[in-house]
Amino acid sequence: MKRVAVLLTALAAGLLLEAPAHAQGKHEINLFMSGACSEYLQLNTAKVHTGDLYDIYEPQVQYVQNGPGFTLDYNYAVLNWLLVGGQFNFHQLVWEEYVRVGGTHVSNTKNKLAILPQVKFRIPSPRHFRLYAKVGLGMTLNIGRYSPRNPVVFAWDVVPIGCEWGGQRVYGTAELAYGSVIQGGRIGIGFRF
């Protein structure tokens, strides 16, 4: 029993103290394009009107437009399976609000810039098809034609599964993401050096 405990302790220490990833390169930069940002999905969801009197005084979202989002991602390999870095996200939203009482229409444009430090975990996988997961926490800066009540808000991004395919230096990448920045997926290209 003692030998098994010593063997497991040595294995765990070996995983934690392994050398950084020299063969694959320590640095990686990924450029992603994504679909709708999380706020677009919230604005585009039809509001259920209860028939209450206050509904006619609440602003109603009439038209929502969202272009593609862009993400620039940098990671540094601390260990073969652990990377630390950050991501920069950009989205633009355009929508119209109207109030039934008074018939006022307001056009809104919001640029969303999100900066998130992140941790990326490589999952053991074949050399030309690599799996990973990552978690990021940071902030979103909202800039627009209107004056937002909260220009800086908390942001988070979780990627339960992502994959890289192709070469070791230049590769394709795709991931499923969920959070306050993106709900859906990203696809892009990566460079490792």
Side-chain angles (χ1 to χ4, degrees):
M1 186 68 174
K2 277 186 173 181
R3 287 183 185 178
V4 173
V6 169
L7 182 62
L8 289 175
T9 304
L11 181 62
L15 286 174
L16 292 175
L17 301 174
E18 66 182 302
H22 294 291
Q24 293 184 357
K26 291 183 182 183
H27 306 275
E28 66 180 35
I29 295 175
N30 301 302
L31 301 168
F32 292 99
M33 190 168 75
S34 61
C37 69
S38 295
E39 190 171 354
Y40 168 77
L41 297 174
Q42 294 166 2
L43 284 172
N44 213 19
T45 304
K47 181 179 175 186
V48 177
H49 300 288
T50 60
D52 292 335
L53 184 59
Y54 73 86
D55 271 349
I56 64 173
Y57 296 101
E58 290 289 312
Q60 307 295 315
V61 175
Q62 186 173 16
Y63 168 76
V64 183
Q65 180 182 359
N66 178 52
F70 299 98
T71 302
L72 175 64
D73 188 41
Y74 169 79
N75 295 297
Y76 175 78
V78 178
L79 302 170
N80 280 333
W81 56 273
L82 177 67
L83 295 91
V84 293
Q87 61 175 275
F88 175 78
N89 298 282
F90 173 79
H91 278 93
Q92 184 178 54
L93 285 171
V94 177
W95 73 94
E96 285 188 15
E97 290 182 355
Y98 72 96
V99 179
R100 290 180 184 172
V101 174
T104 58
H105 285 268
V106 177
S107 231
N108 293 310
T109 300
K110 184 191 289 188
N111 295 318
K112 298 176 67 64
L113 307 171
I115 300 169
L116 293 92
Q118 68 183 6
V119 177
K120 182 175 177 179
F121 305 96
R122 287 187 182 146
I123 301 167
S125 48
R127 186 172 169 87
H128 295 289
F129 186 79
R130 297 167 301 276
L131 298 174
Y132 65 88
K134 65 182 180 182
V135 177
L137 300 172
M139 65 178 189
T140 298
L141 178 62
N142 295 310
I143 303 167
R145 274 191 242 157
Y146 73 105
S147 56
R149 283 177 260 149
N150 298 320
V152 178
V153 295
F154 174 73
W156 59 281
D157 190 41
V158 174
V159 175
I161 189 76
C163 64
E164 301 170 351
W165 63 90
Q168 297 300 310
R169 300 264 181 217
V170 178
Y171 53 90
T173 183
E175 55 189 38
L176 294 174
Y178 184 79
S180 64
V181 178
I182 293 286
Q183 289 184 9
R186 295 183 184 107
I187 190 162
I189 188 168
F191 307 93
R192 187 174 292 115
F193 55 96

mmCIF file of all heavy atoms in Angstrom, residues 122-164:
data_model
loop_
_atom_site.group_PDB
_atom_site.id
_atom_site.type_symbol
_atom_site.label_atom_id
_atom_site.label_comp_id
_atom_site.label_asym_id
_atom_site.label_seq_id
_atom_site.Cartn_x
_atom_site.Cartn_y
_atom_site.Cartn_z
ATOM 1 N N ARG A 122 -4.767 22.003 -21.703
ATOM 2 C CA ARG A 122 -4.672 21.065 -22.820
ATOM 3 C C ARG A 122 -5.058 19.673 -22.332
ATOM 4 O O ARG A 122 -4.598 19.215 -21.302
ATOM 5 C CB ARG A 122 -3.265 21.027 -23.382
ATOM 6 C CG ARG A 122 -2.890 22.236 -24.170
ATOM 7 C CD ARG A 122 -1.539 22.052 -24.827
ATOM 8 N NE ARG A 122 -1.174 23.251 -25.552
ATOM 9 C CZ ARG A 122 0.061 23.687 -25.669
ATOM 10 N NH1 ARG A 122 1.052 23.027 -25.119
ATOM 11 N NH2 ARG A 122 0.310 24.767 -26.356
ATOM 12 N N ILE A 123 -5.883 19.008 -23.106
ATOM 13 C CA ILE A 123 -6.324 17.659 -22.794
ATOM 14 C C ILE A 123 -5.446 16.702 -23.607
ATOM 15 O O ILE A 123 -5.244 16.937 -24.801
ATOM 16 C CB ILE A 123 -7.814 17.494 -23.145
ATOM 17 C CG1 ILE A 123 -8.643 18.509 -22.341
ATOM 18 C CG2 ILE A 123 -8.284 16.075 -22.900
ATOM 19 C CD1 ILE A 123 -10.064 18.665 -22.812
ATOM 20 N N PRO A 124 -4.906 15.638 -23.005
ATOM 21 C CA PRO A 124 -4.077 14.704 -23.780
ATOM 22 C C PRO A 124 -4.839 14.204 -25.009
ATOM 23 O O PRO A 124 -5.966 13.718 -24.902
ATOM 24 C CB PRO A 124 -3.809 13.556 -22.804
ATOM 25 C CG PRO A 124 -3.979 14.160 -21.458
ATOM 26 C CD PRO A 124 -5.021 15.231 -21.605
ATOM 27 N N SER A 125 -4.222 14.377 -26.177
ATOM 28 C CA SER A 125 -4.870 14.028 -27.440
ATOM 29 C C SER A 125 -3.808 13.832 -28.517
ATOM 30 O O SER A 125 -2.646 14.146 -28.305
ATOM 31 C CB SER A 125 -5.872 15.121 -27.831
ATOM 32 O OG SER A 125 -5.301 16.400 -27.720
ATOM 33 N N PRO A 126 -4.188 13.319 -29.696
ATOM 34 C CA PRO A 126 -3.220 13.093 -30.772
ATOM 35 C C PRO A 126 -2.528 14.386 -31.205
ATOM 36 O O PRO A 126 -3.039 15.481 -30.997
ATOM 37 C CB PRO A 126 -4.072 12.535 -31.918
ATOM 38 C CG PRO A 126 -5.318 12.060 -31.295
ATOM 39 C CD PRO A 126 -5.528 12.867 -30.054
ATOM 40 N N ARG A 127 -1.393 14.250 -31.839
ATOM 41 C CA ARG A 127 -0.545 15.387 -32.204
ATOM 42 C C ARG A 127 -1.213 16.359 -33.186
ATOM 43 O O ARG A 127 -1.032 17.565 -33.091
ATOM 44 C CB ARG A 127 0.755 14.846 -32.791
ATOM 45 C CG ARG A 127 1.792 15.865 -33.079
ATOM 46 C CD ARG A 127 3.094 15.183 -33.473
ATOM 47 N NE ARG A 127 4.046 16.117 -34.015
ATOM 48 C CZ ARG A 127 4.903 16.815 -33.287
ATOM 49 N NH1 ARG A 127 4.893 16.703 -31.989
ATOM 50 N NH2 ARG A 127 5.748 17.647 -33.865
ATOM 51 N N HIS A 128 -1.978 15.858 -34.150
ATOM 52 C CA HIS A 128 -2.572 16.731 -35.164
ATOM 53 C C HIS A 128 -4.044 17.055 -34.906
ATOM 54 O O HIS A 128 -4.689 17.669 -35.751
ATOM 55 C CB HIS A 128 -2.393 16.119 -36.554
ATOM 56 C CG HIS A 128 -0.954 16.033 -36.951
ATOM 57 N ND1 HIS A 128 -0.214 17.143 -37.262
ATOM 58 C CD2 HIS A 128 -0.109 14.995 -37.054
ATOM 59 C CE1 HIS A 128 1.021 16.794 -37.561
ATOM 60 N NE2 HIS A 128 1.110 15.481 -37.432
ATOM 61 N N PHE A 129 -4.569 16.647 -33.772
ATOM 62 C CA PHE A 129 -5.922 17.013 -33.352
ATOM 63 C C PHE A 129 -5.897 17.138 -31.837
ATOM 64 O O PHE A 129 -5.973 16.161 -31.119
ATOM 65 C CB PHE A 129 -6.947 15.961 -33.794
ATOM 66 C CG PHE A 129 -8.355 16.374 -33.507
ATOM 67 C CD1 PHE A 129 -9.014 17.270 -34.327
ATOM 68 C CD2 PHE A 129 -9.014 15.880 -32.390
ATOM 69 C CE1 PHE A 129 -10.320 17.667 -34.045
ATOM 70 C CE2 PHE A 129 -10.318 16.261 -32.101
ATOM 71 C CZ PHE A 129 -10.965 17.154 -32.937
ATOM 72 N N ARG A 130 -5.751 18.361 -31.346
ATOM 73 C CA ARG A 130 -5.564 18.607 -29.926
ATOM 74 C C ARG A 130 -6.830 19.213 -29.314
ATOM 75 O O ARG A 130 -7.435 20.107 -29.905
ATOM 76 C CB ARG A 130 -4.374 19.551 -29.726
ATOM 77 C CG ARG A 130 -3.070 18.947 -30.220
ATOM 78 C CD ARG A 130 -1.959 19.967 -30.319
ATOM 79 N NE ARG A 130 -2.226 21.081 -31.204
ATOM 80 C CZ ARG A 130 -2.032 21.063 -32.524
ATOM 81 N NH1 ARG A 130 -1.608 19.970 -33.122
ATOM 82 N NH2 ARG A 130 -2.265 22.129 -33.258
ATOM 83 N N LEU A 131 -7.199 18.730 -28.145
ATOM 84 C CA LEU A 131 -8.367 19.230 -27.426
ATOM 85 C C LEU A 131 -7.920 20.110 -26.276
ATOM 86 O O LEU A 131 -6.849 19.923 -25.711
ATOM 87 C CB LEU A 131 -9.199 18.065 -26.902
ATOM 88 C CG LEU A 131 -9.774 17.129 -27.957
ATOM 89 C CD1 LEU A 131 -10.451 15.945 -27.294
ATOM 90 C CD2 LEU A 131 -10.742 17.862 -28.864
ATOM 91 N N TYR A 132 -8.775 21.058 -25.894
ATOM 92 C CA TYR A 132 -8.473 21.935 -24.756
ATOM 93 C C TYR A 132 -9.759 22.479 -24.156
ATOM 94 O O TYR A 132 -10.844 22.365 -24.729
ATOM 95 C CB TYR A 132 -7.546 23.080 -25.176
ATOM 96 C CG TYR A 132 -8.144 24.045 -26.177
ATOM 97 C CD1 TYR A 132 -8.891 25.146 -25.767
ATOM 98 C CD2 TYR A 132 -7.949 23.868 -27.537
ATOM 99 C CE1 TYR A 132 -9.430 26.028 -26.674
ATOM 100 C CE2 TYR A 132 -8.470 24.750 -28.458
ATOM 101 C CZ TYR A 132 -9.216 25.827 -28.023
ATOM 102 O OH TYR A 132 -9.748 26.703 -28.932
ATOM 103 N N ALA A 133 -9.613 23.091 -22.990
ATOM 104 C CA ALA A 133 -10.691 23.820 -22.323
ATOM 105 C C ALA A 133 -10.071 25.079 -21.744
ATOM 106 O O ALA A 133 -8.868 25.129 -21.498
ATOM 107 C CB ALA A 133 -11.304 22.964 -21.213
ATOM 108 N N LYS A 134 -10.873 26.129 -21.539
ATOM 109 C CA LYS A 134 -10.320 27.350 -20.949
ATOM 110 C C LYS A 134 -11.389 28.134 -20.212
ATOM 111 O O LYS A 134 -12.582 27.976 -20.458
ATOM 112 C CB LYS A 134 -9.617 28.211 -21.995
ATOM 113 C CG LYS A 134 -10.480 28.794 -23.065
ATOM 114 C CD LYS A 134 -9.614 29.576 -24.059
ATOM 115 C CE LYS A 134 -10.459 30.176 -25.155
ATOM 116 N NZ LYS A 134 -9.660 30.898 -26.149
ATOM 117 N N VAL A 135 -10.913 28.990 -19.301
ATOM 118 C CA VAL A 135 -11.778 29.833 -18.484
ATOM 119 C C VAL A 135 -11.165 31.221 -18.431
ATOM 120 O O VAL A 135 -9.956 31.361 -18.221
ATOM 121 C CB VAL A 135 -11.898 29.277 -17.043
ATOM 122 C CG1 VAL A 135 -12.732 30.189 -16.173
ATOM 123 C CG2 VAL A 135 -12.457 27.882 -17.046
ATOM 124 N N GLY A 136 -11.988 32.250 -18.630
ATOM 125 C CA GLY A 136 -11.514 33.625 -18.558
ATOM 126 C C GLY A 136 -12.443 34.492 -17.733
ATOM 127 O O GLY A 136 -13.662 34.351 -17.794
ATOM 128 N N LEU A 137 -11.875 35.390 -16.933
ATOM 129 C CA LEU A 137 -12.633 36.351 -16.130
ATOM 130 C C LEU A 137 -12.027 37.731 -16.349
ATOM 131 O O LEU A 137 -10.808 37.876 -16.335
ATOM 132 C CB LEU A 137 -12.558 36.010 -14.640
ATOM 133 C CG LEU A 137 -13.091 34.658 -14.208
ATOM 134 C CD1 LEU A 137 -12.757 34.407 -12.746
ATOM 135 C CD2 LEU A 137 -14.587 34.588 -14.428
ATOM 136 N N GLY A 138 -12.865 38.740 -16.527
ATOM 137 C CA GLY A 138 -12.335 40.079 -16.748
ATOM 138 C C GLY A 138 -13.428 41.123 -16.759
ATOM 139 O O GLY A 138 -14.338 41.087 -15.935
ATOM 140 N N MET A 139 -13.341 42.048 -17.727
ATOM 141 C CA MET A 139 -14.307 43.145 -17.788
ATOM 142 C C MET A 139 -14.670 43.452 -19.233
ATOM 143 O O MET A 139 -13.902 43.181 -20.153
ATOM 144 C CB MET A 139 -13.740 44.387 -17.132
ATOM 145 C CG MET A 139 -12.544 44.945 -17.831
ATOM 146 S SD MET A 139 -12.000 46.438 -17.005
ATOM 147 C CE MET A 139 -10.790 46.985 -18.178
ATOM 148 N N THR A 140 -15.865 44.027 -19.404
ATOM 149 C CA THR A 140 -16.328 44.490 -20.700
ATOM 150 C C THR A 140 -16.527 45.984 -20.620
ATOM 151 O O THR A 140 -17.162 46.494 -19.689
ATOM 152 C CB THR A 140 -17.654 43.825 -21.109
ATOM 153 O OG1 THR A 140 -17.449 42.425 -21.215
ATOM 154 C CG2 THR A 140 -18.163 44.350 -22.427
ATOM 155 N N LEU A 141 -15.990 46.704 -21.591
ATOM 156 C CA LEU A 141 -16.166 48.149 -21.697
ATOM 157 C C LEU A 141 -17.197 48.400 -22.782
ATOM 158 O O LEU A 141 -17.025 47.965 -23.928
ATOM 159 C CB LEU A 141 -14.827 48.807 -22.047
ATOM 160 C CG LEU A 141 -14.836 50.312 -22.237
ATOM 161 C CD1 LEU A 141 -15.248 51.014 -20.945
ATOM 162 C CD2 LEU A 141 -13.467 50.791 -22.682
ATOM 163 N N ASN A 142 -18.297 49.088 -22.426
ATOM 164 C CA ASN A 142 -19.374 49.392 -23.370
ATOM 165 C C ASN A 142 -19.230 50.833 -23.838
ATOM 166 O O ASN A 142 -19.294 51.758 -23.035
ATOM 167 C CB ASN A 142 -20.738 49.195 -22.708
ATOM 168 C CG ASN A 142 -20.978 47.762 -22.335
ATOM 169 O OD1 ASN A 142 -20.810 46.866 -23.143
ATOM 170 N ND2 ASN A 142 -21.356 47.520 -21.084
ATOM 171 N N ILE A 143 -19.050 51.021 -25.146
ATOM 172 C CA ILE A 143 -18.890 52.352 -25.726
ATOM 173 C C ILE A 143 -19.963 52.500 -26.790
ATOM 174 O O ILE A 143 -20.121 51.624 -27.642
ATOM 175 C CB ILE A 143 -17.495 52.494 -26.375
ATOM 176 C CG1 ILE A 143 -16.403 52.214 -25.362
ATOM 177 C CG2 ILE A 143 -17.327 53.878 -26.988
ATOM 178 C CD1 ILE A 143 -15.035 52.031 -25.968
ATOM 179 N N GLY A 144 -20.703 53.626 -26.761
ATOM 180 C CA GLY A 144 -21.748 53.791 -27.757
ATOM 181 C C GLY A 144 -22.217 55.215 -27.887
ATOM 182 O O GLY A 144 -21.723 56.117 -27.217
ATOM 183 N N ARG A 145 -23.224 55.413 -28.775
ATOM 184 C CA ARG A 145 -23.793 56.748 -29.005
ATOM 185 C C ARG A 145 -24.610 57.225 -27.820
ATOM 186 O O ARG A 145 -24.798 58.400 -27.618
ATOM 187 C CB ARG A 145 -24.696 56.719 -30.230
ATOM 188 C CG ARG A 145 -23.951 56.943 -31.498
ATOM 189 C CD ARG A 145 -24.933 57.178 -32.613
ATOM 190 N NE ARG A 145 -24.722 56.100 -33.570
ATOM 191 C CZ ARG A 145 -25.606 55.686 -34.426
ATOM 192 N NH1 ARG A 145 -26.797 56.225 -34.465
ATOM 193 N NH2 ARG A 145 -25.323 54.710 -35.252
ATOM 194 N N TYR A 146 -25.147 56.309 -27.097
ATOM 195 C CA TYR A 146 -25.902 56.674 -25.916
ATOM 196 C C TYR A 146 -24.960 56.580 -24.718
ATOM 197 O O TYR A 146 -23.862 56.068 -24.808
ATOM 198 C CB TYR A 146 -27.103 55.738 -25.734
ATOM 199 C CG TYR A 146 -26.689 54.366 -25.274
ATOM 200 C CD1 TYR A 146 -26.888 53.974 -23.970
ATOM 201 C CD2 TYR A 146 -26.068 53.481 -26.147
ATOM 202 C CE1 TYR A 146 -26.490 52.733 -23.541
ATOM 203 C CE2 TYR A 146 -25.665 52.239 -25.725
ATOM 204 C CZ TYR A 146 -25.883 51.873 -24.428
ATOM 205 O OH TYR A 146 -25.480 50.643 -24.005
ATOM 206 N N SER A 147 -25.352 57.109 -23.596
ATOM 207 C CA SER A 147 -24.491 57.020 -22.412
ATOM 208 C C SER A 147 -24.961 55.845 -21.567
ATOM 209 O O SER A 147 -26.005 55.904 -20.938
ATOM 210 C CB SER A 147 -24.556 58.315 -21.610
ATOM 211 O OG SER A 147 -25.875 58.597 -21.263
ATOM 212 N N PRO A 148 -24.209 54.746 -21.569
ATOM 213 C CA PRO A 148 -24.639 53.574 -20.795
ATOM 214 C C PRO A 148 -24.561 53.835 -19.302
ATOM 215 O O PRO A 148 -23.722 54.589 -18.826
ATOM 216 C CB PRO A 148 -23.645 52.499 -21.225
ATOM 217 C CG PRO A 148 -22.466 53.232 -21.737
ATOM 218 C CD PRO A 148 -22.950 54.548 -22.248
ATOM 219 N N ARG A 149 -25.481 53.204 -18.568
ATOM 220 C CA ARG A 149 -25.476 53.346 -17.116
ATOM 221 C C ARG A 149 -24.264 52.667 -16.509
ATOM 222 O O ARG A 149 -23.699 53.156 -15.539
ATOM 223 C CB ARG A 149 -26.756 52.758 -16.527
ATOM 224 C CG ARG A 149 -27.940 53.677 -16.710
ATOM 225 C CD ARG A 149 -29.197 53.047 -16.181
ATOM 226 N NE ARG A 149 -29.885 52.531 -17.382
ATOM 227 C CZ ARG A 149 -30.649 51.470 -17.400
ATOM 228 N NH1 ARG A 149 -30.858 50.802 -16.307
ATOM 229 N NH2 ARG A 149 -31.222 51.077 -18.497
ATOM 230 N N ASN A 150 -23.866 51.542 -17.048
ATOM 231 C CA ASN A 150 -22.705 50.801 -16.551
ATOM 232 C C ASN A 150 -21.711 50.624 -17.692
ATOM 233 O O ASN A 150 -21.770 49.633 -18.412
ATOM 234 C CB ASN A 150 -23.128 49.430 -16.011
ATOM 235 C CG ASN A 150 -24.074 49.546 -14.843
ATOM 236 O OD1 ASN A 150 -23.893 50.401 -13.996
ATOM 237 N ND2 ASN A 150 -25.091 48.711 -14.825
ATOM 238 N N PRO A 151 -20.780 51.568 -17.882
ATOM 239 C CA PRO A 151 -19.851 51.427 -19.003
ATOM 240 C C PRO A 151 -18.868 50.268 -18.834
ATOM 241 O O PRO A 151 -18.385 49.721 -19.809
ATOM 242 C CB PRO A 151 -19.127 52.765 -19.049
ATOM 243 C CG PRO A 151 -19.288 53.342 -17.690
ATOM 244 C CD PRO A 151 -20.557 52.799 -17.133
ATOM 245 N N VAL A 152 -18.565 49.880 -17.593
ATOM 246 C CA VAL A 152 -17.659 48.763 -17.336
ATOM 247 C C VAL A 152 -18.413 47.718 -16.511
ATOM 248 O O VAL A 152 -18.942 48.030 -15.454
ATOM 249 C CB VAL A 152 -16.392 49.218 -16.581
ATOM 250 C CG1 VAL A 152 -15.490 48.039 -16.293
ATOM 251 C CG2 VAL A 152 -15.647 50.275 -17.376
ATOM 252 N N VAL A 153 -18.476 46.486 -17.033
ATOM 253 C CA VAL A 153 -19.181 45.406 -16.334
ATOM 254 C C VAL A 153 -18.289 44.174 -16.264
ATOM 255 O O VAL A 153 -17.366 44.010 -17.052
ATOM 256 C CB VAL A 153 -20.529 45.059 -17.018
ATOM 257 C CG1 VAL A 153 -21.507 46.217 -16.928
ATOM 258 C CG2 VAL A 153 -20.322 44.644 -18.456
ATOM 259 N N PHE A 154 -18.591 43.302 -15.328
ATOM 260 C CA PHE A 154 -17.876 42.038 -15.156
ATOM 261 C C PHE A 154 -18.125 41.151 -16.368
ATOM 262 O O PHE A 154 -19.233 41.090 -16.894
ATOM 263 C CB PHE A 154 -18.360 41.357 -13.875
ATOM 264 C CG PHE A 154 -17.794 39.987 -13.659
ATOM 265 C CD1 PHE A 154 -16.475 39.820 -13.283
ATOM 266 C CD2 PHE A 154 -18.581 38.867 -13.847
ATOM 267 C CE1 PHE A 154 -15.952 38.555 -13.085
ATOM 268 C CE2 PHE A 154 -18.074 37.595 -13.647
ATOM 269 C CZ PHE A 154 -16.752 37.445 -13.268
ATOM 270 N N ALA A 155 -17.096 40.453 -16.833
ATOM 271 C CA ALA A 155 -17.227 39.558 -17.982
ATOM 272 C C ALA A 155 -16.602 38.207 -17.654
ATOM 273 O O ALA A 155 -15.620 38.144 -16.911
ATOM 274 C CB ALA A 155 -16.540 40.158 -19.208
ATOM 275 N N TRP A 156 -17.163 37.149 -18.222
ATOM 276 C CA TRP A 156 -16.620 35.806 -18.042
ATOM 277 C C TRP A 156 -16.850 34.998 -19.307
ATOM 278 O O TRP A 156 -17.750 35.283 -20.085
ATOM 279 C CB TRP A 156 -17.239 35.121 -16.823
ATOM 280 C CG TRP A 156 -18.728 34.975 -16.881
ATOM 281 C CD1 TRP A 156 -19.663 35.941 -16.622
ATOM 282 C CD2 TRP A 156 -19.464 33.802 -17.213
ATOM 283 N NE1 TRP A 156 -20.933 35.434 -16.778
ATOM 284 C CE2 TRP A 156 -20.837 34.120 -17.132
ATOM 285 C CE3 TRP A 156 -19.097 32.515 -17.571
ATOM 286 C CZ2 TRP A 156 -21.832 33.206 -17.404
ATOM 287 C CZ3 TRP A 156 -20.101 31.589 -17.833
ATOM 288 C CH2 TRP A 156 -21.446 31.937 -17.750
ATOM 289 N N ASP A 157 -15.982 34.026 -19.509
ATOM 290 C CA ASP A 157 -16.040 33.199 -20.703
ATOM 291 C C ASP A 157 -15.542 31.800 -20.346
ATOM 292 O O ASP A 157 -14.457 31.655 -19.790
ATOM 293 C CB ASP A 157 -15.157 33.813 -21.794
ATOM 294 C CG ASP A 157 -15.330 33.158 -23.143
ATOM 295 O OD1 ASP A 157 -16.480 32.844 -23.508
ATOM 296 O OD2 ASP A 157 -14.320 32.960 -23.843
ATOM 297 N N VAL A 158 -16.336 30.794 -20.639
ATOM 298 C CA VAL A 158 -15.972 29.403 -20.373
ATOM 299 C C VAL A 158 -16.020 28.647 -21.691
ATOM 300 O O VAL A 158 -17.006 28.726 -22.425
ATOM 301 C CB VAL A 158 -16.930 28.751 -19.351
ATOM 302 C CG1 VAL A 158 -16.626 27.275 -19.189
ATOM 303 C CG2 VAL A 158 -16.864 29.469 -18.025
ATOM 304 N N VAL A 159 -14.941 27.936 -22.001
ATOM 305 C CA VAL A 159 -14.888 27.067 -23.178
ATOM 306 C C VAL A 159 -14.748 25.638 -22.656
ATOM 307 O O VAL A 159 -13.658 25.218 -22.273
ATOM 308 C CB VAL A 159 -13.705 27.435 -24.098
ATOM 309 C CG1 VAL A 159 -13.599 26.449 -25.246
ATOM 310 C CG2 VAL A 159 -13.862 28.850 -24.615
ATOM 311 N N PRO A 160 -15.856 24.874 -22.593
ATOM 312 C CA PRO A 160 -15.758 23.503 -22.084
ATOM 313 C C PRO A 160 -15.010 22.577 -23.040
ATOM 314 O O PRO A 160 -14.379 21.622 -22.605
ATOM 315 C CB PRO A 160 -17.208 23.071 -21.908
ATOM 316 C CG PRO A 160 -17.999 23.978 -22.771
ATOM 317 C CD PRO A 160 -17.218 25.259 -22.910
ATOM 318 N N ILE A 161 -15.067 22.884 -24.352
ATOM 319 C CA ILE A 161 -14.340 22.059 -25.322
ATOM 320 C C ILE A 161 -13.924 22.930 -26.509
ATOM 321 O O ILE A 161 -14.706 23.705 -27.032
ATOM 322 C CB ILE A 161 -15.188 20.847 -25.789
ATOM 323 C CG1 ILE A 161 -14.362 19.871 -26.613
ATOM 324 C CG2 ILE A 161 -16.394 21.278 -26.568
ATOM 325 C CD1 ILE A 161 -13.442 19.018 -25.818
ATOM 326 N N GLY A 162 -12.672 22.790 -26.855
ATOM 327 C CA GLY A 162 -12.108 23.451 -28.035
ATOM 328 C C GLY A 162 -11.178 22.472 -28.715
ATOM 329 O O GLY A 162 -10.699 21.518 -28.089
ATOM 330 N N CYS A 163 -10.909 22.685 -29.986
ATOM 331 C CA CYS A 163 -9.997 21.774 -30.692
ATOM 332 C C CYS A 163 -9.094 22.564 -31.636
ATOM 333 O O CYS A 163 -9.469 23.617 -32.138
ATOM 334 C CB CYS A 163 -10.766 20.695 -31.433
ATOM 335 S SG CYS A 163 -11.808 21.305 -32.758
ATOM 336 N N GLU A 164 -7.906 22.034 -31.818
ATOM 337 C CA GLU A 164 -6.934 22.557 -32.770
ATOM 338 C C GLU A 164 -6.596 21.408 -33.716
ATOM 339 O O GLU A 164 -6.450 20.274 -33.288
ATOM 340 C CB GLU A 164 -5.660 23.002 -32.052
ATOM 341 C CG GLU A 164 -5.877 24.077 -31.018
ATOM 342 C CD GLU A 164 -4.647 24.331 -30.164
ATOM 343 O OE1 GLU A 164 -3.660 23.565 -30.250
ATOM 344 O OE2 GLU A 164 -4.681 25.285 -29.387
#
